[in-house]
Amino acid sequence: MAMGRLGVEETLEALNAALGPGGPVWFKETRARHLRVRDFFAPRRALRARFGDGQVPERVVHAIACLQGPGVAPVLRCVPTPTGLALQLQRSAVFERVLGAVAAYAAPSAIAAPGRRVVLHCPALRGGPGALRLSQLRAVLVADHLARALRAHGVSVRQVPAVRDPHMSTFLQQLRVDWPVASERTANEALRSRAHAKLTSAGDSGALFPGALGSVRLKELVDECGHTASYDPNLDSCLVTEDLLSVLAELQEAVQHQLEEGSPGMAAAPDTGAEGYLVVHVVSCEEEFQQQKLDLLWRKLDDQAPLRQKHLVCGPVKVAGVPGTLTAPEYYELRHAQVCKASALKHGRDLAQDPAWTEIFMVLSVAAIKFEMLSTAPQSQLLLALTDNISTKGTKSGTFVMYNCARLATLFEGYECSMEQGLYPTFPPVSSLDFSQLHDEGEWLLLFNSVLPFPDLLSHTAALACTAPGLHITARTEMVCKFLVQLSMDFSSYYNRVHILGEPRPHLFGQMFARLQLLRAVREVLHTGLAMLGLPPLSHI
């Protein structure tokens, strides 16, 4: 049997190459009704770009049917249809390859090149939680998720600023945001000296408020960067303060720290020096103008400032049905109260004061918040409906995902208990399982849409277009949340319809163990996805 991880992207690349030179033609099917007859499809209209009449030569069709290669899924048949080419995989063989190496599908498809380093800067974390707006909370959650995704991809990440406010540190722990803390400010004497040398005359120095040193002109630097950099044309000057210099000093120290230490266990990047780094400023749309000032001031005062600074600007957060401005802690308390109320309705009693449920309610509250904040592309506007009730039945929510995580845990606990009672045998070696018994469409849906493409999804989440021109950068931090919601919907539908732990009869054990191995893979993927969000798996709700 061929070894190695199968990949959706590798299969698509090989399929497109088999058609000859040209743009991509094939796409992967995802809908259940299409997956009943095909797994990949090349539409007739797209085929006309390669073959004038859209008719693919028989030799090409035959070559596709015999397609092989590293990462390429085994093909069963390729059939011309009136609407295009329909391709179906050898599903039993795919089940065997994937479920025989589950760990390979719960990790990124490719690790970043050795020495790749990123500094993530989230200015919203410089204050206390009481002043944290929802748009700033969104930026914090995006930065935290991006840091986890980058590290899982093998990137060395340094997060700035280190949190000094103890209340902010406690709130971040509550939100399961992993961010460094510090007790002292970074020394900024060198930057202060450079700033004094470049200060513009400010007239009566007594007019400056305490902590202000003067003003630095930025207009020339904006013009020097050009229109393609996308700096705000209204940027003219920047009032330099002690606080601003402290911010720059911490950014400067973060870059220097990675220059000295590099990536643990990795070779140094070929491009040494600060220019070899990518600095990403993750900011709310309200903070963008001020952050552009800071970006330019850093370049003005520090000759070693990284040339590659990118701004990931999170769109505004609008709240429906709630008058006034809601702070991040108030938002958390609202969601926590709704989670406790939903649990009381489900269990028939108030469990909020039960110590056994305290941690569960906190996790569910954070899950609700993170899925709300991260399921929309960060650059887009986000509309929150805070009056909506929290429920494990709502298929778009974080609580629904956690509910299905608990259902999976209960399933495997049920098997373990039954095995200890002698009803079921111990789990056999995976190599002995017969995956041809997995013929339910829900089983293929889980493998083909969830387990098989998961490594590619992790890699896309960590992808940053750092070489693209311009100041701004985009990120796909919504992908994991959307993926986990769809996975939970597919699993829930399958679990409600198929009885996994059947009667304890020997002739039924083969299919039961094949199904359990599939759901083991689903569980691993689900747990890895939740870890990317800083959420632990739950065993019950």
Side-chain angles (χ1 to χ4, degrees), residues 69-88:
V72 178
V75 177
L76 175 63
R77 64 175 67 92
C78 179
V79 181
T81 71
T83 55
L85 284 181
L87 182 139
Q88 192 171 48

Side-chain angles (χ1 to χ4, degrees), residues 5 104-111 149 152-154 454-456 458-459:
R5 187 188 65 83
Y105 294 87
S109 59
I111 299 300
H153 200 60
F454 186 61
D456 292 334
L458 288 179
S459 295

Side-chain angles (χ1 to χ4, degrees), residues 75-143:
V75 177
L76 175 63
R77 64 175 67 92
C78 179
V79 181
T81 71
T83 55
L85 284 181
L87 182 139
Q88 192 171 48
L89 301 177
Q90 298 178 29
R91 294 187 173 182
S92 293
V94 175
F95 272 120
E96 183 177 352
R97 289 277 298 277
V98 174
L99 300 183
V102 169
Y105 294 87
S109 59
I111 299 300
R116 186 180 170 200
R117 293 162 291 187
V118 172
V119 173
L120 279 180
H121 174 223
C122 186
L125 291 171
R126 297 191 180 278
L132 197 65
R133 300 186 300 271
L134 294 185
S135 57
Q136 292 176 307
L137 174 62
R138 186 186 191 187
V140 170
L141 296 180
V142 166

Side-chain angles (χ1 to χ4, degrees), residues 256-314:
Q256 187 61 36
H257 178 273
Q258 287 196 333
L259 278 171
E260 293 172 353
E261 294 193 0
S263 302
M266 293 183 177
D271 48 350
T272 57
E275 68 274 10
Y277 286 87
L278 173 64
V279 177
V280 180
H281 305 284
V282 185
V283 298
S284 66
C285 52
E286 298 94 340
E287 298 167 317
E288 180 182 10
F289 186 76
Q290 183 62 29
Q291 186 55 50
Q292 289 189 21
K293 282 187 177 182
L294 183 70
D295 178 327
L296 291 167
L297 184 62
W298 191 5
R299 297 172 190 265
K300 188 92 171 178
L301 301 184
D302 183 4
D303 294 335
Q304 300 300 313
L307 299 179
R308 293 193 300 167
Q309 293 188 54
K310 295 289 186 178
H311 295 230
L312 175 53
V313 182
C314 297

Side-chain angles (χ1 to χ4, degrees), residues 218-425:
L218 301 175
K219 189 66 175 176
E220 294 84 354
L221 192 53
V222 173
D223 294 339
E224 181 183 320
C225 292
H227 296 296
T228 57
S230 303
Y231 284 102
D232 192 305
N234 296 314
L235 282 169
D236 183 22
S237 62
C238 177
L239 183 64
V240 180
T241 65
E242 292 287 353
D243 286 341
L244 205 56
L245 291 181
S246 293
V247 172
L248 290 180
E250 191 168 9
L251 284 166
Q252 192 179 52
E253 183 183 64
V255 171
Q256 187 61 36
H257 178 273
Q258 287 196 333
L259 278 171
E260 293 172 353
E261 294 193 0
S263 302
M266 293 183 177
D271 48 350
T272 57
E275 68 274 10
Y277 286 87
L278 173 64
V279 177
V280 180
H281 305 284
V282 185
V283 298
S284 66
C285 52
E286 298 94 340
E287 298 167 317
E288 180 182 10
F289 186 76
Q290 183 62 29
Q291 186 55 50
Q292 289 189 21
K293 282 187 177 182
L294 183 70
D295 178 327
L296 291 167
L297 184 62
W298 191 5
R299 297 172 190 265
K300 188 92 171 178
L301 301 184
D302 183 4
D303 294 335
Q304 300 300 313
L307 299 179
R308 293 193 300 167
Q309 293 188 54
K310 295 289 186 178
H311 295 230
L312 175 53
V313 182
C314 297
V317 177
K318 304 294 183 181
V319 180
V322 177
T325 303
L326 200 67
T327 66
E330 289 170 342
Y331 173 43
Y332 173 84
E333 292 301 328
L334 174 64
R335 285 302 186 219
H336 187 267
Q338 291 173 331
V339 164
C340 293
K341 180 180 179 181
S343 179
L345 292 173
K346 177 181 178 181
H347 295 281
R349 58 193 178 95
D350 185 5
L351 298 170
Q353 305 306 316
D354 187 339
W357 285 85
T358 301
E359 182 73 8
I360 293 173
F361 289 158
M362 290 178 66
V363 171
L364 289 175
S365 303
V366 173
I369 289 170
K370 288 193 173 183
F371 274 79
E372 280 181 323
M373 286 280 180
L374 295 173
S375 291
T376 301
Q379 299 82 14
S380 303
Q381 175 177 298
L382 175 63
L383 179 63
L384 294 181
L386 297 184
T387 55
D388 288 354
N389 292 324
I390 298 292
S391 170
T392 58
K393 304 299 182 183
T395 57
K396 300 298 183 182
S397 68
T399 50
F400 174 71
V401 174
M402 302 308 294
Y403 170 64
N404 282 285
C405 178
R407 294 172 88 184
L408 268 170
T410 301
L411 171 68
F412 283 98
E413 287 173 7
Y415 163 71
E416 293 291 338
C417 290
S418 297
M419 184 190 69
E420 292 173 1
Q421 295 169 11
L423 296 177
Y424 298 136

Side-chain angles (χ1 to χ4, degrees), residues 108 111 118 120 143-159 178 180 258 266 462 532:
I111 299 300
V118 172
L120 279 180
D144 175 61
H145 178 42
L146 186 57
R148 295 175 192 273
L150 288 168
R151 287 195 177 106
H153 200 60
V155 178
S156 175
V157 179
R158 181 84 168 174
Q159 293 156 280
D178 186 13
Q258 287 196 333
M266 293 183 177
M532 292 293 102

